[in-house]
Amino acid sequence: MKTGIIMTKRSFYSSTIEEFCDEDSYSILGKLADSNFFKLTEMQKYAWSEEIKILKDQLRGINDRKIMLEYTIPRMGKRVDTVLLYKGMVILLEFKVGAAEYHKATFDQVLDYALDLKNFQSECQKLTIVPIAVSTEAPDRYYEFSRYPDGIMHPIGSNRNNLRRVLAALVSKYEQPKIDYSAWERAVYMPTPTIVEAAQALYRNHKVEEISRSDAKVHNLTVTTEAIKRIINYSKSSRRKSIVFVTGVPGAGKTLVGLNLASEFHHNAMEEHAIFLSGNHPLVAVLQEALARDKVQQRLEDGHKLSKSAAKREVRSFIQIIHTYRDEYVGNNHKPTEHVAIFDEAQRSWTKEELVSFMEKKKGIRNFRYSEPEFLISTMDRLKDWGVIVCLIGGGQEINKGEAGMPEWFKSLQRSFPDWDVYTAEDIKAEEYLRGYSWESLISGLNVVINNDLYLATSMRSFRNEYVSTLIKYILDNDLEAARSAYARVKDKYPIRITRNLAIAKEWVQGMARGTERYGILASSNAARLKPYGVVYANDRSSISPEKWFLNSREDIRSSCFLEAVASEFETQGLELDYTIVALDADFRIENGKWVAYKMSMRKEPPDWSPIRKEETVLFMKNAYRVLLTRARQGFIIFVPEGSDTDITRRHINYDVTFEYLKAVGIPAI
């Protein structure tokens, strides 16, 4: 049985078109106002009045069809002005009352709504969806109907006087079998938000079940959240200190679980207040910026002004850089105000050597004796009654020197806090978490409770196919037969391509993206010889601003979509785009059927690649490419340069063997 969100009242108003046209306009306006949860402005009332007037004028005489006003798209935190179920088609109308021109932003907006319904609303997946931008005072516009392969129409422009003609022309060309209106309104909605969309929705007090996919194939995020809440409640009532490890495949929603908890407890009484912490500077920067921008816009829509700096100050009480939080408790005995601390990407916390060195060199603090996990546990241990740490752990995602990984959390508990209760799932015993340690050695002397609700088994980032992360694992593990099998399960819904031409790669992602879907170029921070191909910033992390790269419009040269600024694994871990170009350099290549890691040695005369021997550094390289190859929600293309034998750093063989290996997996070359 399929499960998910069944929204019995997704719209503010719903009726047949005939009933709508006969109903008093003030009655309709009243129903819209009664359903509105936010402050109703005069501007909104005027817009609704005009929309009702236009719709009545243009739809009168069209009987036995369905109309819905202010139809909610929870994942995006938005509402479609009007949905018409008409002649077997789903027609979306986005009104711009008073607009005398057709704007690209409006076409993108209504196309985004169409994509959301096509991807996540069960009754829409086989229907034609028609996005129409209604600029009420714009001139008549020539329209030539065409459809994308998935049944979504290219956006159409209409005005207050020609909507009826547009609908008649559509029907003459595309009339479909009749829609079951009741089934459509009761349809299961299974959204998969980006982490930015999720943070914005949760910060606006949406529930995680409203914005997250929860079909039968997915371990429901709500189940994991509820399991953690039970542990929090038990710890509070029993006056216990507890640490919870949430694990899962890349993109399974660990960060979303953490944001949901932080949101839910954010406004609670002080004894339960929670904070979301991350050592991932780009992730925090992007989320803080996105939440601040959204808050400023919300206040503006309510008729008030709020500076972005003021909005950011408020946001920082919800989400914060872990190092800022950590340093607040160094050299003192201050007790945290939070009883629940959520550490995202906890595997990236620093080793004792790294943190001791940092404290001495940067802070002037001598005799510091903690690893970062041990110190962070010690701050919560200062609480007299109870406290809970939630560690969101990614397996095989340590990508930098000094990252301690999951084992250091357990060793810290063994050394200093054996009385804490430990909750985790069976899957944490996998090698990508253990990093060479035995499970028995890590839990010796600890009170460990196994709860498999704390593991998220299915990737939601790649909502088109949950096997993408498995495919990448097999590719990086040199398991060619398993990779071929995994690719066969992926290829029909999740496009992957390879190319030797960067211009072709750019054309591909630009052609795939619709509406405001985002794309960008990714490359390893260790890449050193992509510059001849136009990938010039791969090993210069100071060159991009993550918040601008991930959030700014396509027209902004700093945006990912401009396809100039290149992001590495450091800027993108924990974040995502719809489509990506992953540029492979010779720093990680196939030799004799195995992946081998290299670094550029400037000590050589002339400079050339040198093999990396240190096992830990090789692991970081592998994990870096795991990150890069799992950033795309809907598909990606791998750019493998041609190489040049006139340049010893770009020999053909450095790239050709890797290209042939990827082709052997079954990935088509273009």
Side-chain angles (χ1 to χ4, degrees), residues 368-503:
F368 193 87
R369 58 185 179 85
Y370 299 100
S371 67
E372 193 163 44
E374 188 168 1
F375 184 73
L376 292 170
I377 299 171
S378 77
T379 63
M380 291 295 285
D381 198 60
R382 297 175 189 181
L383 296 168
K384 289 184 178 179
D385 45 6
W386 70 281
V388 176
I389 293 174
V390 180
C391 290
L392 310 175
I393 299 276
Q397 294 187 42
E398 300 86 357
I399 58 175
N400 205 4
K401 176 180 177 292
E403 293 179 359
M406 181 277 290
E408 179 56 28
W409 287 91
F410 280 81
K411 291 192 289 182
S412 296
L413 291 163
Q414 288 175 323
R415 283 193 301 267
S416 306
F417 311 102
D419 55 328
W420 277 54
D421 297 330
V422 182
Y423 297 86
T424 187
E426 287 279 357
D427 293 82
I428 205 169
K429 300 176 184 178
E431 177 53 38
E432 58 258 38
Y433 297 104
L434 296 177
R435 294 182 66 179
Y437 290 90
S438 73
W439 174 244
E440 290 72 21
S441 69
L442 290 178
I443 65 171
S444 176
L446 298 178
N447 177 33
V448 177
V449 178
I450 298 296
N451 181 344
N452 288 327
D453 286 341
L454 300 175
Y455 180 77
L456 295 165
T458 305
S459 175
M460 296 201 318
R461 176 180 297 121
S462 308
F463 65 85
R464 291 190 179 279
N465 198 301
E466 60 266 30
Y467 300 108
V468 175
S469 59
T470 302
L471 167 64
I472 300 308
K473 171 179 167 55
Y474 290 143
I475 287 175
L476 295 178
D477 286 349
N478 302 112
D479 192 336
L480 184 57
E481 290 306 313
R484 285 171 173 161
S485 177
Y487 178 72
R489 304 176 78 176
V490 164
K491 64 179 183 179
D492 291 337
K493 291 185 178 180
Y494 185 95
I496 304 174
R497 301 289 185 269
I498 51 176
T499 186
R500 312 302 295 269
N501 188 312
L502 185 59

Side-chain angles (χ1 to χ4, degrees), residues 593-651:
K594 301 291 183 183
W595 289 101
V596 180
Y598 284 82
K599 63 180 178 180
M600 180 59 63
S601 174
M602 303 305 291
R603 294 181 179 178
K604 289 188 174 183
E605 291 294 342
D608 197 3
W609 296 100
S610 293
I612 296 174
R613 308 293 185 191
K614 190 174 181 182
E615 188 174 329
E616 182 184 48
T617 307
V618 173
L619 176 64
F620 290 153
M621 286 285 294
K622 180 179 179 179
N623 289 343
Y625 275 94
R626 190 193 314 275
V627 169
L628 296 172
L629 291 165
T630 56
R631 295 307 93 190
R633 285 164 56 83
Q634 301 199 57
F636 63 89
I637 185 166
I638 303 172
F639 165 57
V640 184
E642 287 278 7
S644 170
D645 284 341
T646 63
D647 178 350
I648 63 171
T649 67
R650 295 189 294 124
R651 297 179 182 91

Side-chain angles (χ1 to χ4, degrees), residues 289 292-293 296 306-316:
E289 178 73 13
R293 289 185 187 185
V296 169
L306 177 69
S307 70
K308 194 164 72 173
S309 59
K312 274 197 171 180
R313 282 195 296 272
E314 182 178 327
V315 166
R316 288 190 188 104

Side-chain angles (χ1 to χ4, degrees), residues 15-263:
S15 77
T16 65
I17 292 176
E18 185 177 21
E19 290 169 343
F20 167 80
C21 290
D22 289 341
E23 186 171 351
D24 181 78
S25 295
Y26 288 107
S27 171
I28 298 171
L29 188 60
K31 290 176 181 177
L32 293 175
D34 287 344
S35 297
N36 187 51
F37 301 112
F38 306 102
K39 182 179 178 181
L40 186 57
T41 64
E42 289 299 318
M43 185 181 298
Q44 180 64 76
K45 284 193 288 187
Y46 173 73
W48 279 341
S49 296
E50 285 295 295
E51 290 165 26
I52 293 167
K53 184 189 302 181
I54 293 167
L55 288 167
K56 280 176 173 277
D57 176 63
Q58 294 292 300
L59 300 180
R60 192 171 296 280
I62 298 176
N63 299 326
D64 191 33
R65 303 291 182 261
K66 193 75 173 178
I67 183 171
M68 285 159 275
L69 304 181
E70 297 295 320
Y71 183 87
T72 303
I73 307 284
R75 180 185 74 92
M76 301 170 68
K78 304 285 186 180
R79 298 191 300 271
V80 186
D81 288 338
T82 303
V83 176
L84 302 177
L85 302 183
Y86 180 62
K87 297 290 187 179
M89 291 178 285
V90 180
I91 298 170
L92 311 180
L93 305 178
E94 184 62 25
F95 284 84
K96 297 302 174 185
V97 174
E101 298 177 0
Y102 299 103
H103 294 286
K104 182 180 182 301
T106 310
F107 288 127
D108 285 345
Q109 181 182 1
V110 71
L111 181 53
D112 283 345
Y113 295 152
L115 289 164
D116 186 279
L117 290 175
K118 176 62 72 172
N119 289 328
F120 306 122
Q121 206 259 37
S122 58
E123 287 293 314
C124 278
Q125 291 170 9
K126 295 181 180 179
L127 298 176
T128 294
I129 303 179
V130 185
I132 301 179
V134 185
S135 292
T136 61
E137 312 311 314
D140 284 4
R141 175 186 174 110
Y142 173 75
Y143 41 86
E144 183 177 345
F145 302 132
S146 60
R147 283 191 289 192
Y148 294 104
D150 59 2
I152 295 177
M153 298 283 294
H154 287 258
I156 300 163
S158 176
N159 58 38
R160 66 164 59 241
N161 297 314
N162 72 350
L163 179 58
R164 189 183 191 90
R165 293 200 305 273
V166 171
L167 296 179
L170 275 168
V171 168
S172 68
K173 187 171 184 179
Y174 290 113
E175 183 172 358
Q176 309 287 311
K178 187 176 180 180
I179 297 173
D180 183 332
Y181 301 148
S182 177
W184 197 93
E185 283 200 273
R186 291 185 290 103
V188 174
Y189 180 70
M190 300 181 293
T192 306
T194 68
I195 196 62
V196 170
E197 290 169 340
Q200 289 172 330
L202 292 170
Y203 198 58
R204 296 188 211 115
N205 295 321
H206 284 272
K207 300 297 183 186
V208 71
E209 57 267 24
E210 294 177 328
I211 63 168
S212 63
R213 176 182 167 196
S214 54
D215 53 297
K217 294 188 294 183
V218 177
H219 186 113
N220 194 343
L221 297 179
T222 307
V223 172
T224 300
T225 301
E226 290 301 318
I228 300 169
K229 286 166 65 176
R230 286 193 295 272
I231 294 169
I232 292 172
N233 291 333
Y234 171 77
S235 301
K236 181 180 178 181
S237 63
S238 303
R239 301 175 69 83
R240 297 287 298 170
K241 305 280 178 55
S242 303
I243 186 165
V244 183
F245 294 95
V246 178
T247 52
V249 300
K254 297 180 291 293
T255 300
L256 180 53
V257 167
L259 287 170
N260 183 48
L261 284 168
S263 174

